[in-house]
Amino acid sequence: MATAEDKMREFLRRQIDPREFDAPAFQKDPFPLYKRLRDDHPVYHDRFHNRWVVSRYWDVDSVFQSSEAYTRGIYEEDGPYEFGSKHVFGPNILEYGVGDRHRWLRNIIAGQFVGQKLNDFLPVIDMIARELIARLGTGSDGKGGFELVTEFSTQFPIRVISNMLGLPREDEDRFVDWYQALIAGLGFGGEHLARGIAARNEMWEYLEPLIEKRRKEPGEDLLSRIIAAELDGKRMSMEEIKGFVALLLAAGGDTTDKAIANMWYHMLYTRPDQFAAVQKDPELWSNVFTEMMRYDPVVHMQQRRATQEIAMHDEVIPKGAIVLIYLGAGNRDERVFKDPDTFDIFRDDLHMGRENRSGRYKDGKPGHLGFGMGQHFCMGYAMARQEAVIACTHLSNALVNPRPKVEDHPGISSPSIDSGGFRSPQELWIEFDRKAEGW
Amino acid sequence: MARTLKLDLDCCVNAGECYYNHPRLFAMEDDGAPRLLLTSIETDDDLREAEEAIEVCPSGAISLE
């Protein structure tokens, strides 16, 4: 029979030290802690950081879906805070959080990234991928090698968005620089934040005359569409337009560039056997994207604030509490996915096609949580998928026998999962025999 | 004159745009399908919301007759 001491020992064995969230080991490999959270503390009260953590698939789903019980907004919409003054992007929908204003701004832009309007921009995506591939150097013997992150993936989405917006091509490199400063300013304070805001201001100064010009002479580009977009007879203000451009460059660029690097990492290092199948049938890159978004997505965590008391499992989350949604943990929930720690592009228990906001699919299979769901579902989901799949398909078609340059790779990591640090490999060196005919 | 809001569930892909954006007109079923909360569109506000829902629906499953 278990003695009181045994019970105490068992209780202590299951405890989580909240400082584990800050440890480098967690930033490198968060999955063991995720499993302990799911198994022993499905609702974990982190008293050290003063927050609550949910980690199981269906709990993550329920927090995302319950927009009455949780809010994304950090501030009250009608409060005394001036939106955007402390944010690297300026006033933007990430900060508005909720309400009619948020819905209005979101709908103006979300419609540009789906359906026919997205299709209009596919030639741009195709063109940028081809340009970047053409730049990859080869030796006199035709052989080549390159570092994917700096030479391809971080170059790609930012140039696509810059072109979609209709910004001058000769200034593309400046946007790449501003973009990198904005991103660094997101997750960290201090010097990074100061540089991020400086880059934002520089970029805004650059953009203002361009916006004025488009107002007078609109074109077919995305910037003109944003300026002209109306809902209920209202248009966006200059500040809102500039905030939106900053948001698009950063949010649309960073996540997609890291997605591309993650997809290649998993093909080269995690599942070289499945990479062989993908090279034979490049349409499988779509599955690679989906499984990457489940197995180890770029974004692992989203944050909400409880607007009422919430009873979940045997805990009660108090009104006003900060709730961390570890979608990266929900994606590995063994209650939902078989062998959740295996990367498998052929899994039959995951919805493999395009994502949607409800997270409910007609094939009856659960989807990955990598784009979130519900009210604040990623509005660039369709475009991110298109960009990542087109870039990876072109690259694998263009390279003959692409392979890792080094056998050992330190793997995917994040500077800080907790504070907006996105997960990706720092470097990914690839070698190939030659470029295929026509590339 | 009142108009009728209609949903074609065969063509619907459960994207959820209607019920997330217009919870007064649409609700989400457990399987992700939308359900109409209002079929008879009478006021200007209803009409504006219905037209917006048609605009944001990616599958063209919503119509006004």
Side-chain angles (χ1 to χ4, degrees):
Chain A
M1 214 177 83
T3 64
E5 202 172 310
D6 287 341
K7 279 186 186 161
M8 175 60 88
R9 204 172 294 128
E10 180 57 16
F11 174 80
L12 289 176
R13 190 187 64 78
R14 288 169 188 268
Q15 287 310 292
I16 286 170
D17 182 335
R19 288 169 296 183
E20 288 181 51
F21 287 97
D22 304 322
F26 178 70
Q27 311 305 335
K28 176 82 191 93
D29 180 11
F31 299 104
L33 180 56
Y34 288 169
K35 181 163 174 50
R36 288 162 57 211
L37 285 163
R38 284 192 308 266
D39 288 350
D40 297 330
H41 307 270
V43 174
Y44 174 63
H45 183 190
D46 174 349
R47 292 173 170 83
F48 182 74
H49 299 94
N50 191 23
R51 62 195 185 185
W52 298 71
V53 176
V54 297
S55 50
R56 288 187 188 171
Y57 185 94
W58 288 112
D59 294 335
V60 168
D61 174 90
S62 118
V63 180
F64 276 138
Q65 301 283 1
S66 319
S67 30
E68 310 83 43
Y70 303 90
T71 174
R72 169 77 176 72
I74 299 299
Y75 299 98
E76 299 297 337
E77 196 169 3
D78 51 1
Y81 172 70
E82 190 193 333
F83 277 98
S85 57
K86 303 267 170 65
H87 199 289
V88 273
F89 297 158
N92 69 82
I93 56 169
L94 289 184
E95 251 196 350
Y96 274 113
V98 284
D100 288 347
R101 186 81 185 142
H102 173 269
R103 188 165 62 83
W104 181 72
L105 284 168
R106 183 189 158 106
N107 281 350
I108 282 186
I109 203 74
Q112 305 294 335
F113 297 121
V114 290
Q116 189 48 48
K117 286 183 176 161
L118 171 59
N119 288 345
D120 292 349
F121 289 117
L122 292 184
V124 173
I125 298 177
D126 177 80
M127 172 188 79
I128 301 289
R130 286 174 190 277
E131 281 179 9
L132 290 173
I133 290 168
R135 280 198 208 174
L136 302 177
T138 47
S140 52
D141 55 358
K143 288 185 180 173
F146 65 104
E147 200 282 292
L148 181 88
V149 176
T150 47
E151 292 181 60
F152 189 81
S153 60
T154 53
Q155 301 281 332
F156 175 68
I158 178 71
R159 290 178 195 275
V160 170
I161 297 166
S162 166
N163 269 272
M164 283 174 72
L165 285 164
L167 304 173
R169 289 222 69 185
E170 61 271 22
D171 295 328
E172 230 170 83
D173 288 333
R174 294 176 73 186
F175 275 89
V176 176
D177 290 343
W178 285 328
Y179 156 72
Q180 281 160 352
L182 286 176
I183 306 252
L186 265 188
F188 305 95
E191 190 190 335
H192 293 288
L193 180 62
R195 285 204 185 147
I197 289 184
R200 176 197 79 184
N201 291 341
E202 225 175 90
M203 188 173 78
W204 279 9
E205 216 166 285
Y206 172 90
L207 282 174
E208 238 178 83
L210 279 179
I211 293 170
E212 289 297 352
K213 191 162 170 251
R214 292 295 202 297
R215 270 197 178 137
K216 290 187 198 108
E217 307 157 31
E220 283 302 300
D221 53 85
L222 183 58
L223 187 57
S224 300
R225 290 183 184 184
I226 292 173
I227 293 166
E230 271 188 31
L231 215 63
D232 309 338
K234 286 176 294 184
R235 289 185 177 186
M236 275 194 242
S237 70
M238 174 64 91
E239 294 303 299
E240 283 170 340
I241 293 168
K242 290 189 299 188
F244 235 122
V245 172
L247 176 67
L248 287 179
L249 291 176
D254 195 25
T255 45
T256 310
D257 90 44
K258 291 184 161 56
I260 294 167
N262 285 348
M263 288 160 80
W264 277 87
Y265 171 80
H266 288 306
M267 287 296 94
L268 295 175
Y269 287 96
T270 315
R271 290 305 296 262
D273 57 325
Q274 296 198 334
F275 187 37
V278 172
Q279 284 175 288
K280 266 189 217 135
D281 177 9
E283 287 195 7
L284 288 171
W285 276 111
S286 167
N287 289 36
V288 178
F289 179 81
T290 313
E291 175 65 345
M292 177 277 296
M293 289 295 279
R294 182 199 70 83
Y295 181 84
D296 192 353
V298 178
V299 177
H300 273 220
M301 195 277 290
Q302 288 283 295
Q303 188 175 309
R304 295 286 186 275
R305 190 160 50 99
T307 56
Q308 59 192 57
E309 276 190 357
I310 296 143
M312 199 190 278
H313 297 286
D314 55 356
E315 298 282 352
V316 176
I317 300 173
K319 182 177 174 179
I322 296 292
V323 179
L324 302 192
I325 313 167
Y326 270 102
L327 55 96
N331 273 336
R332 297 279 189 112
D333 192 343
E334 39 289 277
R335 292 154 198 81
V336 173
F337 298 111
K338 290 185 298 273
D339 301 324
D341 297 329
T342 302
F343 187 99
D344 180 6
I345 63 169
F346 298 115
R347 54 173 61 244
D348 59 9
D349 56 356
L350 173 68
H351 170 74
M352 279 291 173
R354 247 180 68 170
E355 297 77 6
N356 71 36
R357 223 171 144 176
S358 69
R360 307 284 183 276
Y361 299 97
K362 290 203 156 174
D363 61 11
K365 295 176 185 176
H368 69 76
L369 302 168
F371 285 132
M373 54 173 71
Q375 194 79 37
H376 302 284
F377 180 65
C378 172
M379 67 180 191
Y381 72 103
M383 171 148 163
R385 169 178 278 276
Q386 285 281 18
E387 280 188 288
V389 170
I390 291 173
C392 289
T393 306
H394 280 4
L395 197 54
S396 77
N397 285 341
L399 307 180
V400 175
N401 188 23
R403 54 191 183 274
K405 190 177 176 186
V406 288
E407 211 170 295
D408 292 316
H409 191 285
I412 289 171
S413 64
S414 161
S416 169
I417 292 176
D418 267 21
S419 58
F422 296 160
R423 283 177 65 80
S424 70
Q426 300 288 307
E427 282 188 347
L428 200 58
W429 287 91
I430 299 175
E431 283 182 337
F432 55 94
D433 288 348
R434 59 189 159 80
K435 284 190 189 169
E437 201 79 30
W439 291 90
Chain B
M1 203 184 75
R3 297 173 71 186
T4 310
L5 190 58
K6 290 200 164 168
L7 257 182
D8 179 353
L9 288 176
D10 288 332
C11 123
C12 171
V13 297
N14 295 358
E17 296 298 329
C18 58
Y19 47 76
Y20 290 117
N21 285 307
H22 304 285
R24 227 164 45 79
L25 273 52
F26 305 87
M28 174 182 166
E29 301 280 19
D30 285 345
D31 65 357
R35 171 166 51 93
L36 278 174
L37 297 176
L38 197 69
T39 48
S40 178
I41 299 297
E42 288 166 19
T43 69
D44 283 354
D45 269 0
D46 290 350
L47 183 64
R48 181 180 56 75
E49 284 213 41
E51 283 174 344
E52 222 181 290
I54 292 169
E55 174 83 8
V56 298
C57 173
S59 61
I62 308 169
S63 59
L64 257 179
E65 280 177 15

